[in-house]
Amino acid sequence: MSVGSVGDEVRTENAAPQQSLGTAAARNLATTTKSAPQMQEITSRWLLRMLPWTQVQGGTYRVNRRLSYSVGDGRVTFVQTGERVSVIPAELGELPVLRDFDDEAALAELANRCVQREYAAGQVIAEEGTPADRVFLLAHGRVEQVGTGPYGDEAVLEVLADGAYFGDHSLVERDATWEHTSRAATACTVLELTRDDVVNLADRAESLAQHLAGLAALPHQRTNNYGEKAIDLSAGHVGEAVVPHTYVDYDASPREYELSVAQTVLKVHSRVADLYNQPMNQTEQQLRLTVEALRERQEHELVNNREFGLLANCDYSQRLQPHDGVPGPDDMDELLSRRRGSKLFLAHPRAIAAFGRECNRRGLVPESIDVNGNRIPTWRGVPIFPCNKIPISENRTTSILCMRTGESEQGVIGLHQTGLPDEIEPSLSVRFMGIDEQAIISYLVTAYYSAAILVPDALGVLENVEVSRWR
């Protein structure tokens, strides 16, 4: 028996002949229903949607603050060569006692005098009450600062991680003691710099000796709990008490944020724009997808840019470490406790899943709320929005952000400028650039944006959150 095919019909020699038009031939006369071009890169972009945007008419936004005397609370960067770890000499300037000290030769000598030590998990690095004569620079690992609770029990006061340091006051205070015990929570690599090394170098390096002498001669400044110059007040007095005189001093060098830019040139051949515009306009679809990509890049920059991104510009005093590596309810509570009026969490979807696993393990069910038709999980009533722009490192750790937003609340704000020529969305313009000799039409697509943290406690970050641990 032989088999043949006619159109899209298959028949045998004994089958009945075809009696109607086949579907394959019929499709030549039919109009295909098409979707608009799809794009996997498009996300919910909750940061752009929830951030209050402030108009920056002059292209620059200045954040004026009260004068602050707090210094030297940064982090130290290291270089690793095989098993050897060394500190970058200039990074020693992050220590309070070496802030603004710029003698490169002396800093290099101090860096060379740092001794590398390895501590196993559970090993005590410094014990409470013992003499303190050195600073510890934490190159890798987690260290718990352990104190005594109100009933004599042990209490973890703080958790330090890569780049942190402790004991810096001992470099200039001969009678310093450790205020609490420092214990390795994981295997740790630490560099130690002793007070004797600093003093011996100061005997030979006049610049270092002058710097330390000038540091000791600085008058004690009365400050509030945030390092700002105190405002003298009197309260509760009776009779003819002398009322103190005061004034509010401002930071003489406030930070300024310039609007950043994201741009591209979209090119469309005139033949495509003229002939292939039904049922969808080719130029409009090209622009739509280009704008989507531009907005995705904008959110990425707001999170990761070194100049104004939230991760890089969060104050070091507002950076926390999870007590057990994974993001637990206790860590989220600690993050909330560092600021008033928290409006939102921002976390990678995998971090949200890791937090959900911790809640499941403890039998907790976080509530959810409706935000623009979307069910968003919350913790203590604060929504946790997903953001895949927050990076996950090679060792599968990420960060969770918590912020207060709004200019009136001294929070985090977005910066943009509306009213641009050829503007199609706020602070995003599409400008016609002409047609070249090859009949290609060009459009300049531009977005201007930035972000500002008005006061340090407006933004907090839970760092080194493990997202791949299952237990």
Side-chain angles (χ1 to χ4, degrees), residues 255-267:
R255 179 169 181 179
E256 294 184 348
Y257 294 85
E258 294 185 0
L259 291 183
S260 184
V261 61
Q263 288 180 311
T264 188
V265 176
L266 173 65
K267 295 190 174 184

Side-chain angles (χ1 to χ4, degrees), residues 33 103 121 341:
T33 301
D103 188 332

Side-chain angles (χ1 to χ4, degrees), residues 333-366:
D333 284 341
E334 182 69 16
L335 196 56
L336 282 175
S337 71
R338 296 299 183 98
R339 67 201 41 79
R340 58 177 174 83
S342 297
K343 295 296 185 183
L344 61 95
F345 290 101
L346 202 66
H348 193 280
R350 292 182 63 186
I352 297 177
F355 176 65
R357 290 195 295 270
E358 279 300 294
C359 290
N360 293 340
R361 189 175 68 87
R362 303 186 188 194
L364 301 175
V365 181

